[in-house]
Amino acid sequence: MINILNRKEFLRLLGIIASGTLSNPQQVLASIVKQSELSKSAFGNDFLWGVSTAAYQIEGASQEDGKSRSIWDTFSQKHRHIKDGSTGDIACDFYHNYASDIDLLKSLNMNVFRFSTAWSRVLPQGTGSVNQKGIDFYHRVIDKCLENNIHPWISLYHWDLPQVLQDKGGWMNREVIDWFSEYAHLISKSYGDKVKDWIVLNEPTAFTVVGYGVGVHAPGLRGVNHLLPTIHHAAMCQAEGGRIIRSNVSNANIGTTFSCSHVMPLRSLEKDHIAVERWDALLNRLFIEPSLGLGYPISSLPFLRNIDKHIKEDDMEKLVFDFDFIGIQNYTREVVKNIGIIPYMHGLEIHPAKRGAKDFSDMGWEFYPESLYETLKRFSNYKGVKKLYVTENGCALQDQVVDNRVEDTQRINYFKSYLAQMLRAKNEGIDVRGYLCWSLLDNFEWREGYRPRYGLVYVDFKTQERIIKDSGYWFRDFLK
Ligand code: NOJ
């Protein structure tokens, strides 16, 4: 998550997280790689394999059939904040291509399709009157999955708040808890008889910190004053959403996802271990700990101390929800050092740890498969965490089509090395039940636009032609 920021934006984030004093620096040990034999059967017959997607990144049809604008429509269209000047207006046009895209997924022998519902498609005013055409669209997607023996997994929120609600303060306004509850009731009641696997929030640290703290994702707001209420309200919705799904869906498997990473010190200096403690709290602890009844990690992240102002009586109990699973989303590791350049603050800096690293994705993210192992281990150690799924993992490359083929050997190697680390964790008894790669299709990568290509399937954005990449065929054969 942090790697998406440039230096200036990064320093802005430092200004937020580096404030205050810290106690109890903790030591992070380097991981040891163990090679494992890779085969589908090694993961067991019940292990789930699939892909994750998100509405704004693939659907397009941004103003069609009654959909209203989301904060991402506004952010990408008006402010031109996207590096290649693009928008998600059309994206992969999944709204019209969903049936053939799900056929493609089926042809890769995968059995999970994770998608998010666009709040602004089903409730164009954010609350109140329901857009039946929006509801019907997701019924079509779900039915198509079920016809193909693919489990549909729904994420309730993947960053696309209706703009009408942002106009009332969005996540900063405590009323968002009521708005989100209404939306969660609608979606879980509409699809709960067909869909049993649910994710409440996608990467809350990312959408709160990057969207409301640093301001380089929608809605583009900055500073602690925007960020603190946003964090608390998102954490409240995380738990409330879980309760609502539980009340509406029989036999539901309910989870939520986190962008998480293994954080390591650049040098073995105490001050770098302090940097590790802060980043680790931000990336890995901020949202899971309140849900487990552990509260916010304030002693490791002193900028949170004023979050109290937004906490009402009984909120700390309401933050707790007994999730059936946690979704781990891991791409790389973070290597940090203390740079001490900000007066009265500990300055912290992330390093891409270029020394010794061989491979980087098109996002500039280092291939570091052990991070997935360490993260799975880390989250499984929490008392109260039950099952884990890897709900996102993948790599962006500058894929080229040559003779109608995309030879993405580097991506295949990435997958092999990360799957080996996931198997290592599973073999050590960590309860990981499935793997969803990011992503089925090349898609709109937020502020990066369409340059980074993450798909198992190449998309020609001019013609909407799809070409299965070698990595897609690799999965097809692996999962046969
Ligand atoms: C995390 C997000 O959930 C997803 O939307 C994004 O595209 C991927 N990671 C890749 O950066």
Side-chain angles (χ1 to χ4, degrees), residues 24-44:
N24 304 325
Q26 79 184 38
Q27 187 107 6
V28 173
L29 300 172
S31 60
I32 304 152
V33 186
K34 186 174 102 191
Q35 290 302 325
S36 308
E37 190 66 26
L38 268 191
S39 69
K40 184 190 175 193
S41 58
F43 290 89

Side-chain angles (χ1 to χ4, degrees), residues 251-267:
N251 304 317
N253 185 33
I254 305 172
T256 198
T257 74
F258 300 117
S259 54
C260 25
S261 223
H262 184 49
V263 189
M264 300 168 75
L266 185 70
R267 307 159 298 184

Side-chain angles (χ1 to χ4, degrees), residues 295-418:
Y296 293 109
I298 297 176
S299 66
S300 300
L301 269 182
F303 85 87
L304 289 173
R305 62 190 174 276
N306 290 329
I307 204 165
D308 281 4
K309 285 189 203 150
H310 306 281
I311 300 179
K312 298 232 155 70
E313 214 189 325
D314 300 335
D315 277 9
M316 293 317 287
E317 291 84 70
K318 288 184 185 155
L319 286 170
V320 178
F321 180 72
D322 186 21
F323 283 106
D324 299 313
F325 72 90
I326 293 300
I328 299 296
Q329 317 211 137
N330 173 256
Y331 291 81
T332 184
R333 67 168 169 172
E334 316 294 341
V335 179
V336 302
K337 74 168 182 175
N338 186 311
I339 52 173
I341 54 159
I342 300 176
Y344 313 113
M345 298 176 182
H346 289 291
L348 312 170
E349 187 177 33
I350 290 238
H351 263 247
K354 298 221 155 101
R355 283 185 306 178
K358 281 195 296 247
D359 289 308
F360 287 84
S361 76
D362 193 30
M363 304 285 281
W365 299 354
E366 180 194 2
F367 288 20
Y368 195 79
E370 296 87 346
S371 179
L372 180 59
Y373 166 79
E374 293 293 342
T375 307
L376 288 165
K377 198 164 73 171
R378 167 78 193 278
F379 277 74
S380 72
N381 279 336
Y382 275 115
K383 196 166 164 267
V385 166
K386 299 170 187 166
K387 296 174 289 187
L388 299 173
Y389 293 88
V390 175
T391 44
E392 278 190 29
N393 173 248
C395 96
L397 296 174
Q398 291 185 11
D399 297 311
Q400 304 294 331
V401 182
V402 179
D403 295 334
N404 216 35
R405 174 174 174 197
V406 179
E407 222 177 314
D408 57 340
T409 314
Q410 214 189 351
R411 184 177 284 109
I412 296 173
N413 292 337
Y414 177 98
F415 283 130
K416 282 184 185 167
S417 61
Y418 278 74

Side-chain angles (χ1 to χ4, degrees), residues 8-19:
K8 196 169 135 217
E9 293 153 2
F10 182 71
L11 289 174
R12 199 182 298 148
L13 177 58
L14 286 187
I16 293 172
I17 79 148
S19 58

